[in-house]
Amino acid sequence: ADRLDKNGRARIVQRSFVVTRQGVDELREKLQAEAPRRGLGRVKRVLVIADGAGWIWNLVAQRFPEAVQRLDLFHAGQHLWAAAEALHGPGKEARQWVETLLAQLQAGRPQCVIKQLAEALAGLKATAATSVQKEIAYFKNHKHRMDYGQARERGEPCGSGAIESTCRQYQCRFKRTGQFWTKAGDEALLAVETFWRNDRWALLFPHSTLDPSRN
């Protein structure tokens, strides 16, 4: 119960951040270094939630092969909307169609969604059929990451909102109007910001009296 907020949603009890502009390989190394500091190796269950980007899942498979993988539910819903517009166009009919299939996804039944999409292909014009086939491939590729019913039973999150918000915070911090950085300078500032966020400010400035937890 202590993992849930007042609305019954999964609550984050500890945060840690890694960030870099040096590419996926550098991010992979930073993640692998940070994960043990936050308990990887001592926990029974590791969960990774992300959108559909292939490089993320490749990274997870390489460095955290035992982790449970879960596709962000919002991103899955966006693909339902893409299929709905190809089938019904924008409007009430598309919304009703999405709501029905989204309920099946939330219950952890992606195979039902795939079946209905396949059945909807009959009689479609070429352009619409191509769009729907693309979404069928998407759901087939990620169906093992759509255990949303089990997630709710376990009190685990179904979305990657926390990381999306963090990305936005970093962007707002370093992509303001009139700000221009070299790649090296931006990387240095990102590192300083991340030391602060990870409560390691004293490692950089051991005589500082600033307390990141108060901000």
Side-chain angles (χ1 to χ4, degrees):
D2 61 335
R3 293 184 300 155
L4 305 179
D5 64 17
K6 63 181 180 180
N7 296 315
R9 296 174 301 190
R11 181 169 62 91
I12 298 175
V13 297
Q14 188 180 76
R15 295 174 185 265
S16 190
F17 304 87
V18 296
V19 61
T20 183
R21 287 195 59 197
Q22 302 301 316
V24 175
D25 290 339
E26 182 65 20
L27 179 63
R28 182 188 301 113
E29 298 306 315
K30 289 181 179 294
L31 279 171
Q32 190 166 19
E34 183 64 24
R37 299 189 184 107
R38 294 301 187 180
L40 187 71
R42 302 193 301 272
V43 297
K44 295 181 179 180
R45 181 177 172 86
V46 177
L47 169 66
V48 177
I49 305 177
D51 62 25
W55 70 267
I56 296 177
W57 302 118
N58 290 337
L59 187 156
V60 173
Q62 291 170 5
R63 296 305 191 188
F64 313 107
E66 302 302 320
V68 175
Q69 299 181 9
R70 183 170 300 144
L71 180 72
D72 172 72
L73 180 59
F74 178 80
H75 284 85
Q78 288 182 313
H79 284 263
L80 281 181
W81 273 108
E85 292 187 2
L87 290 168
H88 305 289
K92 183 178 179 180
E93 189 175 1
R95 178 175 295 278
Q96 291 175 338
W97 185 87
V98 168
E99 288 175 350
T100 299
L101 269 67
L102 187 58
Q104 293 180 350
L105 270 188
Q106 291 172 329
R109 297 195 293 269
Q111 197 60 46
C112 293
V113 173
I114 294 169
K115 181 180 178 181
Q116 291 190 48
L117 286 172
E119 291 173 350
L121 279 172
L124 286 181
K125 294 182 179 179
T127 301
T130 298
S131 297
V132 174
Q133 286 172 336
K134 178 181 178 181
E135 302 310 331
I136 290 174
Y138 174 87
F139 283 101
K140 284 183 176 180
N141 186 46
H142 292 292
K143 66 180 181 180
H144 63 291
R145 301 185 176 112
M146 297 179 175
D147 58 337
Y148 305 120
Q150 184 186 73
R152 296 181 187 282
E153 291 176 1
R154 298 178 64 94
E156 294 176 346
C158 293
S160 58
I163 186 60
E164 301 287 349
S165 174
T166 299
C167 290
R168 177 62 176 164
Q169 291 171 30
Y170 271 96
Q171 288 175 348
C172 288
R173 173 66 180 85
F174 296 108
K175 294 179 68 175
R176 294 173 179 169
T177 302
Q179 288 185 334
F180 301 93
W181 311 107
T182 64
K183 189 173 181 178
D186 196 15
E187 183 75 8
L189 288 169
L190 287 171
V192 171
E193 175 76 10
T194 305
F195 265 89
W196 177 268
R197 286 174 174 268
N198 286 339
D199 296 334
R200 296 177 187 142
W201 194 249
L203 295 178
L204 292 176
F205 304 103
H207 302 298
S208 173
T209 60
L210 295 177
D211 183 358
S213 65
R214 296 178 182 175
N215 293 275

